[in-house]
């Protein structure tokens, strides 16, 4: 009986959050270990489908770096990276688009539908969803000055066609977006999935942006999780070396999303089963919250 009471208490804890977020949009970036482990894939699918069944509108943006690496290796194409961004020539772009839209996107859509969802797969080229321009990566020279480097077909999202996503939401469908953008001349662009998730969340004025990662969240110098960070804290934390490396673009994505009207952004550990539900429906939450 005590276990049943505890389950009832859990539902009661979730009730105010269900009321608060009903009818709202939550953008989820799906990537990392959560895409590779079968138990975590099922946990993710069930979390997203539960959100939809409760009247919340999840929008999924997925990555696919490991799958791209594996396919490029099979084709004998060697990748180079500049500040974490893959240098994308025409041959690499063809593989990236094939993998993200033809393989990974369909796998995510299929898995969600297999578990009872009504998912629809999209790339940024569908309905001109993600209009992009070339992203020039800024790098420092040995003399301390910096220059902007052309790294090929790598894009920055300049406009999101949110009407397409909203149409799917109104039809009770679940959009699943591959991070491929389109340029003004119809050319394809490889776009960082975190960046896409942030831009989509901003365009939709989403209630939340959630980035699933392979770490617990942002930690301080002593390794303790920082459960909450304000937008104004971020520059100081970067200068102090608390936020470093690959966490910087993720944090920047969260900050940009807040500036564009997203209510809150979260970096959470996708290796934890039902991490999405724990973040949204519990008082304590998990990971790091940006507000």
């Amino acid at each position: 009986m005590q276990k049943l009471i505890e389950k009832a208490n859990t539902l009661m804890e979730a009730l105010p959050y269900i009321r608060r977020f009903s009818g709202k949009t939550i953008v989820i970036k799906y990537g990392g270990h959560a895409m590779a482990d079968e138990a975590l894939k099922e946990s993710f699918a069930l979390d997203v489908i539960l959100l939809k069944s409760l009247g919340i509108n999840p929008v999924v943006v997925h990555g696919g770096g490991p799958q791209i690496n594996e396919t490029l290796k099979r084709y004998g194409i060697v990748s180079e990276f500049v500040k974490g961004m893959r240098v994308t020539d025409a041959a690499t772009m063809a593989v990236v688009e094939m993998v993200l839209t033809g393989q990974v996107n369909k796998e995510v859509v299929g898995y969600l539908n297999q578990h009872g969802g009504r998912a629809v797969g999209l790339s940024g080229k569908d309905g001109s969803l993600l209009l992009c321009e070339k992203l020039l990566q800024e790098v420092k020279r040995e003399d301390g000055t910096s220059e902007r480097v052309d790294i090929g077909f790598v894009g920055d999202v300049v406009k999101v066609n949110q009407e397409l996503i909203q149409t799917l939401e109104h039809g009770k469908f679940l959009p699943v977006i591959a991070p491929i953008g389109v340029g003004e001349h119809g050319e394809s662009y490889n776009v960082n999935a975190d960046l896409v998730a942030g831009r989509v969340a901003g365009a939709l004025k989403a209630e939340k942006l959630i980035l699933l990662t392979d770490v617990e969240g942002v930690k301080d110098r002593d390794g303790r999780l920082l459960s909450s960070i304000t937008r104004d804290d971020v520059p100081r934390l970067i200068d102090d070396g608390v936020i470093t490396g690959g966490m910087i673009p993720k944090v920047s994505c969260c900050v940009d999303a807040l500036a564009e009207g997203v209510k809150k952004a979260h970096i959470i550990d996708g290796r934890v089963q039902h991490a999405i539900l724990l973040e949204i429906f519990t008082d304590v939450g998990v990971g790091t919250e940006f507000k």
Side-chain angles (χ1 to χ4, degrees):
M1 180 61 70
Q2 185 58 39
K3 288 184 178 180
L4 294 175
I5 292 172
E6 289 174 1
K7 287 183 179 180
N9 287 334
T10 299
L11 291 173
M12 292 308 297
E13 182 181 349
L15 181 59
Y17 298 104
I18 294 172
R19 287 175 173 166
R20 183 190 306 175
F21 300 134
S22 179
K24 307 292 187 180
T25 294
I26 294 177
V27 177
I28 303 166
K29 188 270 180 161
Y30 178 44
H33 196 68
M35 293 185 72
D37 182 276
E38 284 300 321
L40 293 176
K41 286 164 65 175
E42 182 174 21
S43 169
F44 168 80
L46 293 174
D47 284 5
V48 171
I49 291 164
L50 178 59
L51 294 180
K52 193 69 176 177
S53 69
L54 292 172
I56 299 168
N57 295 315
V59 175
V60 175
V61 176
H62 66 78
Q67 296 91 329
I68 292 170
N69 291 339
E70 182 180 335
T71 306
L72 287 172
K73 185 177 179 180
R74 288 206 308 268
Y75 280 89
I77 300 174
V78 178
S79 283
E80 296 181 16
F81 291 85
V82 176
K83 292 183 67 176
M85 293 286 190
R86 188 190 304 272
V87 178
T88 307
D89 59 13
T92 302
M93 186 66 239
V95 172
V96 168
E97 186 167 6
M98 176 183 69
V99 172
L100 290 178
T101 62
Q103 177 188 336
V104 179
N105 188 267
K106 303 312 173 190
E107 287 177 358
V108 176
V109 167
Y111 211 79
L112 287 166
N113 290 342
Q114 178 187 338
H115 286 78
R118 298 181 71 205
V120 175
L122 301 165
S123 83
K125 298 177 78 171
D126 294 316
S128 298
L129 176 60
L130 304 173
L131 289 175
C132 291
E133 62 184 16
K134 183 186 286 286
L135 175 68
L136 298 178
Q137 188 69 294
E138 188 168 317
V139 297
K140 286 188 176 181
R141 300 189 184 97
E142 292 183 1
D143 61 5
T145 60
S146 61
E147 64 177 329
R148 302 180 75 192
V149 177
D150 186 339
I151 54 176
F153 294 96
V154 177
D156 186 15
V157 179
V158 294
K159 184 179 179 182
V160 176
N161 177 11
Q162 67 264 32
E163 291 181 8
L164 175 56
I165 300 172
Q166 290 165 342
T167 298
L168 290 171
E169 289 182 335
H170 293 155
K172 309 300 182 185
F173 290 101
L174 201 167
V176 179
I177 302 170
I180 296 293
V182 61
E184 62 176 335
H185 302 298
E187 67 274 26
S188 298
Y189 280 109
N190 178 19
V191 191
N192 177 275
D194 292 329
L195 188 153
V196 170
R199 293 283 199 274
V200 168
L204 295 171
K205 299 296 183 283
E207 189 72 17
K208 287 181 180 290
L209 166 65
I210 297 177
L211 304 182
L212 292 178
T213 66
D214 285 344
V215 294
E216 293 178 52
V218 180
K219 295 182 178 181
D220 65 16
R221 289 183 177 278
D222 298 321
R224 293 180 299 235
L225 180 68
L226 297 174
S227 59
S228 183
I229 296 175
T230 67
R231 189 169 59 186
D232 295 337
D233 291 333
V234 170
R236 174 180 57 80
L237 293 172
I238 292 176
D239 290 341
D240 291 346
V242 174
I243 299 173
T244 60
M247 188 59 74
I248 292 178
K250 293 183 183 298
V251 169
S252 298
C253 166
C254 291
V255 171
D256 290 344
L258 293 175
E260 292 175 16
V262 176
K263 298 291 179 57
K264 288 185 179 180
H266 308 260
I267 295 177
I268 67 174
D269 193 346
R271 300 169 300 178
V272 176
Q273 288 197 5
H274 303 298
I276 296 171
L277 299 186
L278 291 171
E279 180 56 57
I280 296 174
F281 294 134
T282 63
D283 294 334
V284 177
V286 295
T288 300
E289 172 188 84
F290 295 82
K291 56 185 180 180

